[in-house]
Amino acid sequence: MLGSEVFSVRLGGIYALQRLAEEHPEQYHVQIMQLLCAYVRNPTGQASIQVLRYEDGKPVYGPREDVQAVMYAIGNRSDADMALERAAENFRLDLRNVPLYHSHLSNLNLSYADLESANLSGARLNGAKLYSARLYRARLSSASLDDADFSYAFLTEADFSYASLSGTEFFNASLSRANLSNAILNGANFFFASLDGANLSDAHLPSADLSNTHLRDADLTRTSFYEVWLPDDDPSPANGLMQGQLDQARSVADSPPLLEGVLDAETGEQLVWRGKPLDEDP
């Protein structure tokens, strides 16, 4: 059924497999997840994308409806299902290199998935669970990721530029050399996260928690640690940051980070910019 050229037949096959995995998880869940992931990587037919809509007269492309249905089946698995996956030898959802730009994945559970080099640009992932997921070099530019959970995720060199990440959980995540330029990170939690070498230029981090965050050689050019757009709303500035952390970061010499009202978590004193110029050798 998945190999059929008829869309309705393929969709019926997807729903039948999803139901079989739900009714007989111990026998079939892992095998069906392997099959569904393979379908997302190599769907039936020549083109895995379609025109979703037009904006300013230009087409916006995204995954076909059957591919989107497979992602719903994968992302709605239960905690018991994930326990079966963890018990299986060398199993991880294999979604490497998949083209899922402009897809709708909000509130889906993709924890532990391997999304290396996946293209999720412009995707909707609000509230999605990506606990311990692997997103090395994944593309998430302009994606909607508010309240998503990336705890313990491997996000090295991932591209989050221009993404919306308000309230997103990055507890103990690896974001080394990630691109977060122009990202909206209001209230994001970076507790114990690694941002070494990350690009945070022009990013917005009011109310973000930066306790024990690693910022060695991070680019903080014009990074705003308080709300500069809507000052009347008076949200709290970023918290948890200490002068020693800040001193390890970098910025363009004449465009330092914006630190008004951001206090040292240890001393309570106003933080000041003393980091190295971006073009200076380590």
Side-chain angles (χ1 to χ4, degrees), residues 42-65:
N42 298 286
T44 300
Q46 295 184 349
S48 62
I49 60 172
Q50 64 181 4
V51 177
L52 300 178
R53 61 185 182 275
Y54 287 86
E55 292 181 359
D56 299 324
K58 297 180 180 179
V60 175
Y61 293 94
R64 292 186 332 219
E65 189 176 343

Side-chain angles (χ1 to χ4, degrees), residues 17 38 52 87 128 141 143 151 155 165 169 211 235 273:
L17 285 168
L52 300 178
S141 59
S151 297
L155 306 165
L165 295 148
E169 185 70 52
S211 303
W273 178 244

Side-chain angles (χ1 to χ4, degrees), residues 146-239:
D146 297 338
D147 299 314
D149 185 359
F150 287 99
S151 297
Y152 294 94
F154 184 75
L155 306 165
T156 298
E157 296 185 26
D159 181 7
F160 289 96
S161 57
Y162 294 93
S164 179
L165 295 148
S166 294
T168 300
E169 185 70 52
F170 288 110
F171 175 75
N172 220 355
S174 174
L175 290 139
S176 299
R177 302 184 302 282
N179 183 3
L180 292 143
S181 61
N182 294 279
I184 305 301
L185 294 152
N186 300 24
N189 181 15
F190 289 100
F191 190 71
F192 274 115
S194 172
L195 285 161
D196 292 341
N199 182 357
L200 287 149
S201 60
D202 295 292
H204 296 264
L205 291 101
S207 303
D209 187 350
L210 293 153
S211 303
N212 295 292
T213 304
H214 301 279
L215 291 166
R216 183 177 298 277
D217 294 324
D219 180 357
L220 301 183
T221 302
R222 294 179 301 276
T223 304
S224 175
F225 290 92
Y226 67 94
E227 183 57 80
V228 295
W229 289 341
L230 300 169
D232 292 341
D233 289 355
D234 193 29
S236 301
N239 61 84

Side-chain angles (χ1 to χ4, degrees), residues 236-256:
S236 301
N239 61 84
L241 194 58
M242 293 190 290
Q243 189 68 54
Q245 292 168 267
L246 195 63
D247 290 346
Q248 295 181 339
R250 296 171 176 267
S251 82
V252 171
D254 59 353
S255 301

Side-chain angles (χ1 to χ4, degrees), residues 4-124:
S4 173
E5 294 297 322
V6 180
F7 168 74
S8 59
V9 174
R10 297 198 303 272
L11 206 59
I14 293 164
Y15 294 146
L17 285 168
Q18 182 180 10
R19 185 166 59 252
L20 183 62
E22 290 171 350
E23 292 175 353
H24 304 281
E26 302 232 353
Q27 294 96 321
Y28 299 119
H29 173 78
V30 170
Q31 296 94 318
I32 288 172
M33 289 300 108
Q34 289 174 322
L35 177 59
L36 293 180
C37 288
Y39 189 83
V40 178
R41 297 195 308 271
N42 298 286
T44 300
Q46 295 184 349
S48 62
I49 60 172
Q50 64 181 4
V51 177
L52 300 178
R53 61 185 182 275
Y54 287 86
E55 292 181 359
D56 299 324
K58 297 180 180 179
V60 175
Y61 293 94
R64 292 186 332 219
E65 189 176 343
D66 54 338
V67 175
Q68 184 72 68
V70 171
M71 289 305 301
Y72 285 142
I74 293 170
N76 280 307
R77 66 206 208 287
S78 67
D79 290 341
D81 294 334
M82 285 191 292
L84 291 172
E85 295 171 8
R86 300 292 289 167
E89 187 175 356
N90 298 321
F91 176 79
R92 186 185 280 259
L93 296 177
D94 188 354
L95 295 166
R96 292 172 292 174
N97 301 296
V98 293
L100 290 171
Y101 41 89
H102 298 115
S103 55
H104 293 244
L105 307 171
S106 295
N107 300 310
L108 295 188
N109 192 339
L110 298 172
S111 296
Y112 303 102
D114 189 348
L115 287 149
E116 178 180 339
S117 298
N119 189 342
L120 293 153
S121 301
R124 297 181 184 177

